[in-house]
Each structure stands twice: as C-alpha cells, then as structure tokens.
Amino acid sequence: MVEPDVDHQRRFQAAVDVIHNLPKNGCYRPSYEVMLRFYSLYKQAVCGPCTSSRPGFWDPVGRYKWDAWSRLGDMSTESAMAAYVDEMKKVAQEVIDTMPMDEKTA
Ligand code: ST9
C-alpha cells in the first residue's frame, strides 16, 4: 500500500506537471486570483513558509506574490500539496462546466 505522504507527493507532482505543460494562451484565462492561489500553494509546498522580506514599492507583482504566500502562514507541506491538487480539480471542473456543448461532445 502507498504511504499517504507519498501519495500526496505523487498527486502534487502530477498537478504541477499539468500546469507546466499548459499552453501560455488557450481557451482558458486564469484570473490573477487563481494564479496567486496556485503560486502560493506551490511555494508553500516546495519551499515551506515564506520567510523572505516583502518586496518594495517598485515590485508590485512581487508584493502580491509575497502577500499570497505569506498569508498561508505555517501550513504544512502536505496540506499545501493537497490544496494545490484540489484547486486544480476545481478549476478543471469549472473549465469543463463552461465549455461550449459542441466542444464537449466533439
Ligand atoms: C488552456 C488549455 O487554455 C485548457 C485549459 C484546461 C484547464 C485545466 C485545468 C487546470 C488548472 C489550470 C490553472 C492554471 C493556473 C496557472 C497558475 C500559474 C502559477 N505552480 O520557473 P519559472 C512558480 S491553458 C505554481 O520562472 P516557468 C515558481 O516558483 C491557458 N507556481 O516559470 C516561480 O516563482 P518565483 C492558460 C509555479 O517554469 C514562478 O512560478 N495557461 C509552478 O517558465 C515562475 O517560475 C496557463 O495558465 C507551478 N506548477 O513557468 C499556463 N511552477 O518567482 C500555466 C513554478 O517566486 N503555466 N512556479 O521564483 C504557467 O504559467 C507556467 O508553466 C508557470 C511556470 C508559471 C507555472
């Protein structure tokens, strides 16, 4: 039987691979909120809690990323991995639900 933590890791890696292999532009356009959610969970899972200092005024994107990551506090690696996978399932389902019928049945 597969250990639960190994299972988490496998699912997480599979989700990461999917995201890495998505085209930059496609029928689906993730919102900034969605991207930050994936980003923050990815960082938490891979690097652990955010301990770097907050980027300055001239790096607003860096600040948004830092804020999203640090908001996760001391969430465990395992929880972050599981939340990343759940988020991907949720978004994938939303994409399926909003897909035009002719594409869905093609
Ligand atoms: C389309 C096809 O329309 C149909 C859609 C099907 C939908 C399926 C549903 C799946 C969910 C989709 C959700 C997308 C959300 C996107 C999230 C993006 C964050 N996860 O190595 P670098 C960090 S598809 C999170 O330079 P790469 C990394 O730590 C149309 N974060 O960049 C670094 O942080 P820092 C839409 C990750 O390797 C920063 O990102 N297509 C991940 O060149 C940059 O890393 C898309 O949305 C990760 N897996 O690019 C494309 N890996 O700055 C989504 C690394 O702190 N993919 N990071 O060091 C991408 O944008 C890129 O592959 C990438 C990595 C940004 C994730």
Side-chain angles (χ1 to χ4, degrees):
M1 204 177 98
V2 184
E3 293 288 321
D5 53 331
V6 175
D7 213 35
H8 266 117
Q9 222 159 346
R10 242 174 1 112
R11 285 172 210 253
F12 173 70
Q13 196 49 57
V16 165
D17 290 346
V18 168
I19 300 269
H20 280 172
N21 286 304
L22 286 178
K24 284 276 170 214
N25 297 299
C27 55
Y28 171 67
R29 280 286 168 103
S31 64
Y32 288 125
E33 198 190 2
V34 166
M35 286 195 269
L36 285 172
R37 183 95 185 119
F38 277 104
Y39 172 80
S40 59
L41 291 168
Y42 178 83
K43 293 296 271 193
Q44 191 82 10
V46 172
C47 311
C50 178
T51 54
S52 57
S53 50
R54 192 171 188 251
F57 179 80
W58 300 109
D59 182 9
V61 173
R63 279 211 313 278
Y64 278 119
K65 288 161 84 179
W66 187 95
D67 288 347
W69 181 14
S70 69
R71 224 177 284 130
L72 298 181
D74 58 3
M75 179 190 272
S76 71
T77 300
E78 200 168 276
S79 300
M81 285 183 176
Y84 189 98
V85 172
D86 284 349
E87 194 68 25
M88 207 185 81
K89 286 187 193 160
K90 204 179 86 185
V91 174
Q93 191 58 55
E94 276 166 21
V95 172
I96 291 167
D97 290 345
T98 54
M99 205 183 271
M101 274 316 253
D102 52 341
E103 277 183 46
K104 211 191 291 189
T105 52

